[in-house]
Amino acid sequence: MATAYQNLSDYNFDSIPDASSLRVGIIVSEWNQTITEKLLEGACNTLERHGVKAKNIHVERVPGSFELTFGARQLAEHRELDVVIALGCVIRGDTPHFDYVCFGVTQGLTSLNLQYNIPFIFGLLTTNTLRQSEERAGGRYGNKGDEAAITAIKMADFVCRLKK
């Protein structure tokens, strides 16, 4: 559903599973840092609000969004995690670069989800303008970082329930 019809930060607090035992990796792009740092702040605040201990949130940075998949894989291989969140922001420009980066990250995270036994969460903003990014990083449409954190909690719970 289009973001214009739903605030990324709206959810029923009581419907979120207990997250107090979760170990979460967050890989965040330095490119468009004014946006990605707001996404990171939203994700961390939401995770902690739902019981994830700050010491169990492992944040690493990579230079750009294309590097998110490699960074996410490295986090999964070198940390004991229940879920990995990838946060980035790609803004359309005048060249096809936008399409290649977005496709690569989408395919890369999909591949990681199929290769590993933990979820990898897609928290990549793909917008046409800086303003659209700002509106989705704590602006009028909420914060995609919040949404990614809630998705991470729910997917980690999903995996946990299947193992029982």
Side-chain angles (χ1 to χ4, degrees), residues 22-25 72-85 109-121 152 155-156 158-160 163:
L22 282 186
R23 296 158 303 175
V24 181
R73 180 178 179 167
Q74 293 303 306
L75 268 176
E77 290 184 0
H78 297 286
R79 299 277 188 269
E80 226 176 282
L81 302 170
D82 298 301
V83 62
V84 175
I85 301 171
L109 290 174
T110 299
S111 179
L112 291 172
N113 271 303
L114 297 173
Q115 291 173 20
Y116 287 81
N117 287 321
I118 64 169
F120 290 81
I121 308 305
M155 288 304 296
F158 171 78
V159 171
C160 184
K163 290 180 179 180

Side-chain angles (χ1 to χ4, degrees), residues 87-119:
L87 298 175
C89 176
V90 184
I91 302 170
R92 188 179 300 278
D94 296 330
T95 69
H97 184 258
F98 172 92
D99 299 312
Y100 298 128
V101 171
C102 293
F103 181 78
V105 175
T106 301
Q107 292 303 106
L109 290 174
T110 299
S111 179
L112 291 172
N113 271 303
L114 297 173
Q115 291 173 20
Y116 287 81
N117 287 321
I118 64 169

Side-chain angles (χ1 to χ4, degrees), residues 16-104:
I16 308 306
D18 176 45
S20 59
S21 66
L22 282 186
R23 296 158 303 175
V24 181
I26 302 178
I27 191 74
V28 61
S29 170
E30 294 173 342
W31 193 257
N32 291 316
Q33 194 167 20
T34 58
I35 300 297
T36 61
E37 287 300 313
K38 290 177 185 174
L39 298 175
L40 176 61
E41 180 181 349
C44 289
N45 288 343
T46 298
L47 290 169
E48 289 182 36
R49 194 173 323 121
H50 288 282
V52 179
K53 295 169 188 67
K55 69 177 185 169
N56 288 336
I57 301 172
H58 305 276
V59 177
E60 296 291 340
R61 289 172 173 76
V62 292
S65 292
F66 194 79
E67 293 76 29
L68 287 170
T69 53
F70 180 80
R73 180 178 179 167
Q74 293 303 306
L75 268 176
E77 290 184 0
H78 297 286
R79 299 277 188 269
E80 226 176 282
L81 302 170
D82 298 301
V83 62
V84 175
I85 301 171
L87 298 175
C89 176
V90 184
I91 302 170
R92 188 179 300 278
D94 296 330
T95 69
H97 184 258
F98 172 92
D99 299 312
Y100 298 128
V101 171
C102 293
F103 181 78

